[in-house]
Amino acid sequence: MASIQEVAELVEKGKVKLIEAAVQEALDAGVDAGALLNDGMIAAMGVVGAKFQANEIFVPEMLVAAKTMKKGVEVLKPHLAGDSVGQLGTYILGTVAGDLHDIGKNLVGLMIESAGFRVVDLGVDVPAEKFVEAAKSEQNVKIVGASALLTTTMDSLKNTVQTLIAAGIKELGIKIMVGGAPITQAFADEIGADAYTPDAGAAAVKAKELATA
Ligand code: B12
């Protein structure tokens, strides 16, 4: 029987071919989907990051770990998402220009969708203007969420938020949420975002609060 520990290890070691069966096995054995995600896969990515920082592994290994996690999340998806899609309005989501990290953003999308939003995912390396365009052209937009994972793209996040504000997004009643590992509440306040949360679960709770306030 696959355990949370084994799932974490498969992600850490980038065992792309083994992850789906292991996650399914764990689910079948009654292991909680949220625990598999948080204590298994997300924790494993933390270990991968630490090893990268210590020069024990390099970008290719990080990439394979990311691929492995994505495959594992696909199996978890039906167990995490709800079925009230779209009721709370539209949530525009993307990773800012210059940044290619999307695992965290995708998890935010998944949780936001299960909270009852229609999610429009603009992908990675998204120019500020594209966020503005989507916020103005999509139907019933309530929130724009932007993700940044690198200290070097925090400036890009700041530019995104300020471009959105300058384009009059807040006057349309649309809120701006930011997140990503290097982001803090203080930074979010400084750049003029309406909300920051440290993880996807809290993002869903906050989004619901903002959209129904
Ligand atoms: C996987 C990975 C990669 C993969 C990304 C694959 C992909 N498709 O995403 C690849 C190999 C491409 C990569 C590349 C690089 N990476 Co990288 N990467 C990582 C790693 C190991 C994991 C990231 C991850 O997925 N974490 C798991 C998710 C679930 O967590 P998360 O992203 O933080 O998201 C959560 C919250 O932050 C929050 N959240 C996220 N977004 C949002 C948005 C909103 C609106 C809200 C409310 C919340 C929210 O909710 C999420 C879920 O709970 C991290 C290490 C780490 N510990 O983070 C390094 C890390 C981020 N990378 C790093 C670096 C240096 C790089 C490179 C520059 C390496 C290089 N020399 O080329 C490049 C940059 C490429 C680019 N231009 O973006 C550094 C950044 C250091 C720094 N201070 O900036 C890290 C921290 C590793 C390290 N310890 O040194 N990387």
Side-chain angles (χ1 to χ4, degrees), residues 38 41-42 45-50 52-53 59-60 62-63 65-66 69-70 91 93-94 98-105 107-108 144-153 177-182 195-201 203:
N38 293 310
M41 297 191 231
I42 294 183
M45 289 314 262
V47 176
V48 169
F52 174 76
Q53 208 163 15
V59 171
M62 212 155 55
L63 203 53
M69 170 148 181
K70 278 190 180 175
Y91 192 110
L93 182 63
D99 203 318
L100 303 175
H101 296 85
D102 69 354
I103 295 177
K105 167 187 71 66
L107 288 176
V108 169
V144 177
S147 176
L149 256 286
L150 298 168
T151 44
T152 49
T153 52
M177 281 177 71
V178 294
Y196 155 81
T197 69
D199 60 58

Side-chain angles (χ1 to χ4, degrees), residues 48-71:
V48 169
K51 284 189 175 169
F52 174 76
Q53 208 163 15
N55 283 325
E56 285 170 31
I57 61 164
F58 301 94
V59 171
E61 286 95 335
M62 212 155 55
L63 203 53
V64 182
K67 269 192 194 150
T68 310
M69 170 148 181
K70 278 190 180 175
K71 280 205 172 237

Side-chain angles (χ1 to χ4, degrees), residues 105-125:
K105 167 187 71 66
N106 294 345
L107 288 176
V108 169
L110 186 64
M111 298 307 279
I112 293 285
E113 196 175 284
S114 52
F117 289 86
R118 177 176 79 102
V119 173
V120 176
D121 189 341
L122 303 176
V124 296
D125 193 15

Side-chain angles (χ1 to χ4, degrees), residues 12 23 36 90 92 106 109 120 139-140 160 164 177 180 189 212:
E12 220 182 292
V23 172
L36 278 170
T90 299
I92 308 286
N106 294 345
V120 176
Q139 293 284 310
N140 195 20
T160 301
L164 282 162
M177 281 177 71
D189 292 342
T212 52

Side-chain angles (χ1 to χ4, degrees), residues 23-37:
V23 172
Q24 191 58 56
E25 223 179 271
L27 285 170
D28 291 346
V31 181
D32 178 63
L36 278 170
L37 179 64

